[in-house]
Structures are given as C-alpha cells and as structure tokens.
C-alpha cells in the first residue's frame, strides 16, 4: 500500500449482509482507496451463518459491484477491533447510524476506541432513509416467519436464507 493511501475498515456481523450495509459500502468507496469489510467472528451471538459463509456471500454480492478506484476486501476478524484496525494499517473505522438507538451505542464505542487508539478515526455515515429501519436481526425474524424480505437484501442472500432454512 502506498503511504498516502487511505484504508478504512467497515466492521460488523453481517449476518447476513443487507441493502443497508451495501449502501454504506457503496458510499464509503468514494471516500477511501481501500475498504475492508470485516466480518466479526462472534459465536456467542449465535449467528445464522458462519463467518466463512458470511464472507463468501459478501464476496459474491460484491463481485459484480463497481467500486470505482476503491479496492474492496472481505475478511473475518475476532478480538479487539482497534488491534485489528492497527494490524491492517487502516486509518478509519466506518459505522452506519440508523437512529438514536444506534447513536448511543456507537458513541460509547467510538469514545472507547479513541481512548485505546487515538490515531484511528471513526467515520459515521447516516443511513439512507429507505433502509434506515433495516437490520439483519429484524430481517431474519421476518424471514423466519415467512415474511417477504425481497429488496431489503440482495437476491443472492434471499436464496441463501432459503437454502439455509430448508428451501
Ligand atoms: N440499514 C442500515 N443502514 C445503515 N447502516 C447500517 C444498516 N444496517 C446496519 N448498519 C451498520 O452496519 C454496521 C454493522 O452492523 P451489524 O453487522 O450489527 O448490522 P445489523 O443490521 O445492526 O445487525 P444486527 O441486527 O445483527 O445487529 C453498523 O455500523 C450498523 O450501524
Ligand atoms: Mg447491529
């Protein structure tokens, strides 16, 4: 990586990737030279998809995604976020804010991360209005109760939700 290159980390569970996540990814590509979508390995959260499955789905979705001059990387991580960010020589953490409920949690995390690693900046992007109510958790709830989630996740993810849950 060239010394003036700006690399950002977009961390999350992505269980699974939603259009809300994709919107944040798309908008971040115009701000950075490289964006690492970092899938948290969080077995305690009892995820529907393994970290490997989540990474693979994101890669597949991003395969036909025009990210312009920004390089997109997908990988999983575990442990303290700032340690991971430092290990990648990244300058920024990207987070999306949907509502006041996100804000309070994100404020605490950003301030703690600032204390742990003052050189790393957290960059907040306001959720786009059309997806501001979408979360992976709500989406999975609706899907498991046979509700329609088309349009809120990429088509490929709808298929993977179906095959994961018995057709
Ligand atoms: N619809 C959305 N619009 C904008 N940002 C979003 C959206 N959904 C998630 N994000 C952001 O993406 C990042 C990763 O979030 P995360 O993986 O926890 O997704 P989530 O949808 O909140 O999942 P969960 O329901 O499991 O918590 C966070 O910064 C979160 O605020
Ligand atoms: Mg969340």
């Amino acid at each position: 990586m060239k010394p003036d290159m700006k690399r950002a980390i977009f961390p999350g569970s992505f269980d699974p990737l939603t259009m809300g996540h994709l919107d944040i990814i798309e908008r971040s590509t115009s701000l950075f030279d490289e964006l690492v979508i970092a899938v948290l390995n969080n077995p305690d959260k009892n995820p529907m998809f393994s970290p490997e499955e989540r990474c693979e789905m994101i890669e597949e979705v991003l395969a036909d995604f025009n990210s312009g001059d920004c390089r997109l990387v997908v990988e999983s991580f575990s442990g303290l976020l700032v340690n991971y960010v430092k290990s990648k020589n990244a300058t920024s953490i990207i987070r999306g804010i949907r509502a006041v409920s996100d804000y309070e949690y994100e404020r605490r995390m950003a301030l703690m991360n600032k204390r742990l690693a003052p050189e790393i900046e957290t960059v907040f992007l306001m959720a786009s209005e059309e997806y501001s109510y979408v979360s992976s958790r709500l989406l999975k709830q609706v899907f498991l109760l046979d509700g329609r989630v088309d349009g809120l996740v990429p088509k490929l993810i709808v298929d993977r939700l179906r095959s994961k849950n018995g057709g």
Side-chain angles (χ1 to χ4, degrees):
M1 187 165 83
K2 283 187 274 155
D4 58 342
M5 259 186 77
K6 291 257 177 268
R7 175 184 283 152
I9 308 290
F10 180 33
S13 305
F14 305 104
D15 184 43
L17 180 85
T18 69
M19 293 309 251
H21 294 132
L22 206 52
D23 179 64
I24 296 291
I25 292 171
E26 184 173 11
R27 288 160 58 201
S28 302
T29 59
S30 62
L31 303 174
F32 295 93
D33 302 305
E34 185 178 303
L35 181 68
V36 181
I37 295 119
V39 175
L40 179 63
N41 185 353
N42 52 350
D44 47 306
K45 230 179 143 186
N46 206 5
M48 180 181 281
F49 297 96
S50 71
E52 294 75 25
E53 289 173 318
R54 284 177 261 157
C55 285
E56 188 245 313
M57 285 188 277
I58 298 171
E59 269 165 6
E60 231 176 290
V61 169
L62 294 179
D64 41 42
F65 184 85
N66 182 3
S67 62
D69 292 333
C70 179
R71 199 169 101 91
L72 292 177
V73 177
V74 184
E75 59 181 46
S76 71
F77 80 103
S78 51
L80 194 66
L81 176 62
V82 292
N83 287 348
Y84 171 72
V85 175
K86 282 192 219 169
S87 76
K88 303 301 292 181
N89 285 319
T91 53
S92 316
I93 298 168
I94 306 276
R95 298 290 289 175
I97 298 261
R98 286 163 289 194
V100 177
S101 47
D102 277 342
Y103 173 79
E104 190 43 40
Y105 172 76
E106 295 294 340
R107 190 183 72 85
R108 275 185 279 134
M109 294 306 289
L111 291 176
M112 181 56 82
N113 287 336
K114 196 74 192 171
R115 181 192 167 93
L116 296 169
E119 69 280 17
I120 298 169
E121 215 45 79
T122 303
V123 176
F124 293 107
L125 297 186
M126 191 64 67
S128 292
E129 204 174 356
E130 52 189 319
Y131 303 126
S132 61
Y133 61 94
V134 177
S135 71
S136 299
R137 190 187 144 94
L138 180 58
L139 201 127
K140 284 181 285 188
Q141 279 176 353
V142 170
F143 177 84
L144 292 173
L145 294 171
D146 288 331
R148 266 173 56 91
V149 296
D150 308 61
L152 300 180
V153 286
K155 169 85 176 66
L156 181 147
I157 306 271
V158 181
D159 297 341
R160 295 297 294 271
L161 279 163
R162 288 213 181 100
S163 50
K164 183 76 166 189
N165 296 281

